[in-house]
């Protein structure tokens, strides 16, 4: 969820020492051995076990790197804002404010806020500063120019949905810290991992299984699934940044990466941006009754169809060299044996998340809001020492998200209040009417535009904060049914998370593992996106009609 950019195409070269350097240091090439029974590169439990010596045939050849300091690597990174992105971002806002003609139906205050908002969005795309810092500068500009009063500028910091997103980061940390997510995924590897395709299905299904109680796609990727995939790949001789990566690792990483968007779309609480979408829809007067159930019913059939199709289709168009993994179930069984029985903290985590999900599902009927349910769950984890307060304080991404989400949501809300969103939607509606488009055609055009614009964004949540409200208003102005508009845009937000290596937090995690080449990410991202659109378009059309959404 956290906006992550990575310089993918400029990986540092491996510096190899000269023979003279090796003689001077008397370096002995000691092989790095991978434990035969290792299924996860890092254990999340506090149990430690002595590992037997690794058989010679499983040892990985050593990589010898020079110890000579790299002047470029040791030099400090430049401080402050990046000049070119800074100037472009400021120029966008200044051009709107002073050069673009203000429509007579838009007030000067609204036009000035729009210029600040667009400058903020440009900075989120170009990255002159970290996301949170740039958002704070945008908020400061709104207050310093008297565009917004202080109370209005900071009003979104008390938004319930934003705090629910923050607490979801802490839940995800609990899954990783206790090792519960690792245990659940390992069980699925044991049950389905006899072949490479079965192994991919096991990982995909396990993510869908834990996603409603672990509402961070980035945490699921980095804390649970990538360590398991890397360990399985290494044990099969498939190494990152190496020709052997195509044996197993590339396929498993690509399959998990591309399927994750459907897992996130399946449940309301499977991704933080889902909650944000419905909150923004509510601000536009679109209320989804019983949101957890309504979301699951609408997403269930197309999401499950895509989840089942993705591993198989990638197996055909991005095939692994290794087709069978007969050792994987045995390795998983050995790992589960080393883990031992379910620990007390894991049982507490299970009980807490069952309580939280139950309240998310049925809380409206008994008067318990989603954020209160999350607060109760976090309180239980703190009281029973599953998490401590330092865990929460060290979850920097949660606090960073609180800062920049609140800024974007606050600005978007004020733009709605000042009439900018309604003005934009009416302009788009008139344009669509001039082409004589029916609402289904307008729906397809707007959804496709919302999807493709994500090539400019490095965050799903940033995309939501910037464009969701405007596109939702355009849908409504074009005559698209209101609830269908809100849900379809929200589902769309999950599906474009695998377009590129920078399109989401989990994208950065999976690409950073070293098993995927950049051209493959763009090519498979686009192809899989077309497949997902086809499945969601065909299955969703009939399913949503049956549910009465249109």
């Amino acid at each position: 969820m956290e906006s992550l950019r990575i310089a993918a195409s400029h990986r540092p070269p491996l510096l190899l020492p000269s023979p003279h350097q090796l003689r001077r240091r008397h370096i002995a090439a000691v092989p790095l051995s991978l434990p035969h029974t290792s299924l996860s590169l890092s254990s999340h439990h506090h149990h430690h076990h002595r590992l037997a010596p690794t058989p010679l045939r499983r040892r990985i050849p050593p990589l010898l790197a020079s110890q000579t300091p790299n002047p470029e690597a040791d030099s400090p990174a430049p401080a402050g804002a990046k000049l070119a992105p800074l100037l472009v971002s400021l120029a966008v806002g200044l051009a709107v404010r002073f050069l673009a003609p203000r429509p007579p139906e838009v007030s000067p205050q609204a036009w000035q806020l729009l210029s600040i908002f667009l400058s903020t969005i440009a900075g989120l795309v170009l990255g002159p500063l970290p996301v949170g810092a740039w958002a704070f500068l945008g908020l400061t500009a709104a207050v310093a120019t008297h565009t917004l009063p202080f109370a209005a500028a900071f009003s979104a910091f008390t938004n319930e949905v934003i705090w629910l997103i923050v607490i979801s980061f802490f839940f995800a940390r609990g899954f990783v810290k206790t090792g519960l997510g690792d245990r659940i995924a390992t069980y699925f590897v044991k049950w389905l991992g006899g072949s490479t395709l079965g192994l991919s299905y096991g990982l995909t299904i396990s993510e869908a299984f834990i996603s409603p109680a672990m509402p961070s796609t980035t945490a699921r990727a980095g804390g649970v699934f990538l360590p398991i995939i890397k360990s399985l790949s290494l044990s099969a001789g498939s190494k990152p940044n190496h020709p052997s990566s195509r044996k197993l690792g590339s396929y498993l990483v690509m399959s998990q990466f591309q399927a994750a968007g459907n897992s996130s779309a399946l449940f309301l609480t499977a991704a933080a941006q889902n909650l944000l979408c419905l909150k923004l829809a509510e601000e536009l007067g679109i209320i989804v009754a019983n949101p957890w159930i309504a979301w699951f019913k609408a997403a269930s059939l197309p999401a499950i169809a895509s989840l089942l199709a993705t591993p198989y289709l990638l197996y055909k168009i991005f095939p692994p060299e290794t087709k069978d993994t007969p050792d994987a179930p045995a390795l998983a069984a050995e790992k589960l044996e080393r883990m031992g029985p379910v620990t007390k903290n894991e049982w507490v985590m299970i009980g807490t998340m069952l309580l939280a999900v139950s309240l998310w599902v049925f809380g409206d009927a008994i008067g318990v809001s989603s954020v209160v349910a999350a607060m109760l769950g976090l309180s239980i984890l703190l009281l029973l020492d599953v998490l401590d307060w330092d865990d929460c304080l060290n979850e920097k991404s949660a606090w960073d998200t609180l800062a920049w989400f609140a800024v974007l949501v606050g600005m978007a809300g004020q733009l709605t209040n000042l009439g900018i969103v309604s003005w934009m939607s009416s302009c788009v509606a008139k344009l669509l009417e001039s082409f004589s488009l029916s609402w289904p055609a307008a729906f397809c055009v707007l959804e496709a535009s919302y999807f493709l614009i994500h090539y400019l964004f490095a965050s799903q949540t940033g995309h939501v904060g910037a464009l969701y409200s405007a596109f939702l208003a355009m849908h409504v102005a074009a005559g698209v049914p209101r609830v269908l508009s809100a849900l379809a845009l929200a589902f769309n937000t999950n599906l474009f998370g695998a377009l590129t290596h920078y399109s989401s937090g989990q994208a950065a995690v999976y690409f950073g593992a070293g098993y995927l080449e950049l051209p493959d990410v763009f090519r498979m991202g686009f192809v899989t996106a077309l497949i997902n659109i086809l499945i969601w378009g065909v299955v969703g059309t009939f399913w949503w009609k049956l549910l009465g959404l249109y």
Side-chain angles (χ1 to χ4, degrees), residues 115 119 123 133 191 200 215 219 284 296 319 477 511 540 548:
S115 68
S119 185
W191 296 331
S200 177
L284 290 176
F296 177 72
F511 182 75

Side-chain angles (χ1 to χ4, degrees), residues 161-227:
V161 171
I162 293 175
W163 279 100
L164 178 57
I165 293 169
V166 170
I167 295 173
S168 76
F169 279 90
F170 303 147
F171 284 163
R173 192 177 185 93
F175 264 88
V176 175
K177 182 179 179 181
T178 62
L180 179 60
D182 190 19
R183 184 185 294 274
I184 292 172
T186 304
Y187 268 114
F188 279 95
V189 171
K190 176 184 175 182
W191 296 331
L192 301 173
S195 67
T196 301
L197 183 59
L199 192 57
S200 177
Y201 273 111
L203 294 169
T204 298
I205 294 171
S206 63
E207 176 161 15
F209 185 79
I210 69 173
S211 62
M214 193 176 183
S216 171
T217 50
T218 307
R220 294 199 301 267
V224 177
F225 292 99
L226 185 59

Side-chain angles (χ1 to χ4, degrees), residues 1-5 124 131 400-401 404 458-459 461 502 504-505:
M1 166 180 338
E2 182 183 5
S3 174
L4 297 173
R5 282 189 180 273
L124 295 182
V131 173
D400 184 52
T401 299
W404 70 273
S459 165
T461 46
Y502 57 81
S504 59

Side-chain angles (χ1 to χ4, degrees), residues 38-39 65 149 152 171 173 183 189 234 259 266 268 281 286 307 360 414 424 454 539 544-545 547-548:
S38 173
L39 187 63
F171 284 163
R173 192 177 185 93
R183 184 185 294 274
V189 171
L234 289 171
L266 183 55
L268 175 61
I286 302 173
L307 278 172
W360 286 333
Q414 293 300 322
M424 290 176 61
H454 195 65
V539 177
W544 298 332
K545 179 67 174 177
L547 293 177

Side-chain angles (χ1 to χ4, degrees), residues 54-94:
T54 305
L56 183 61
R57 62 184 176 87
R58 290 192 177 269
R59 290 182 178 174
I60 299 174
L63 294 176
L64 300 177
S66 172
Q67 302 299 318
T68 307
N70 183 348
E72 293 183 5
D74 291 345
S75 60
K82 301 172 186 175
L83 185 59
L86 174 65
L87 293 177
V88 173
S89 302
L90 293 176
V92 169
L94 292 173

Side-chain angles (χ1 to χ4, degrees), residues 298-324:
S300 56
L301 198 59
I304 291 172
S306 287
L307 278 172
L308 294 177
T310 299
Y312 179 76
L313 291 172
L314 285 171
Y315 188 79
K316 293 298 184 182
I317 63 178
F318 191 71
E321 296 174 3
T322 300
K323 306 296 183 182
D324 296 312

Side-chain angles (χ1 to χ4, degrees), residues 355-437:
L355 173 64
V357 171
S358 299
L359 290 175
W360 286 333
V361 174
F362 304 109
D364 286 348
I366 59 176
V368 178
S369 67
S370 296
V371 70
V372 172
M375 292 169 67
L376 290 172
L378 178 59
S379 298
I380 292 171
L381 297 180
L382 291 170
L383 285 170
L384 298 181
D385 199 33
V386 176
L387 292 174
D388 57 45
W389 191 239
D390 281 341
D391 291 323
C392 298
L393 293 177
N394 290 330
E395 195 65 40
K396 293 181 180 179
S397 55
W399 303 113
D400 184 52
T401 299
L402 170 65
W404 70 273
F405 264 29
V407 172
L408 284 181
V409 172
M411 284 190 180
Q414 293 300 322
L415 286 172
T416 301
N417 294 338
L418 293 172
I420 285 287
V421 173
S422 60
W423 166 73
M424 290 176 61
S425 62
S426 64
C427 291
V428 172
K430 291 176 182 176
L431 178 62
L432 294 174
E433 286 175 6
S434 68
F435 288 103
S436 301
L437 292 179

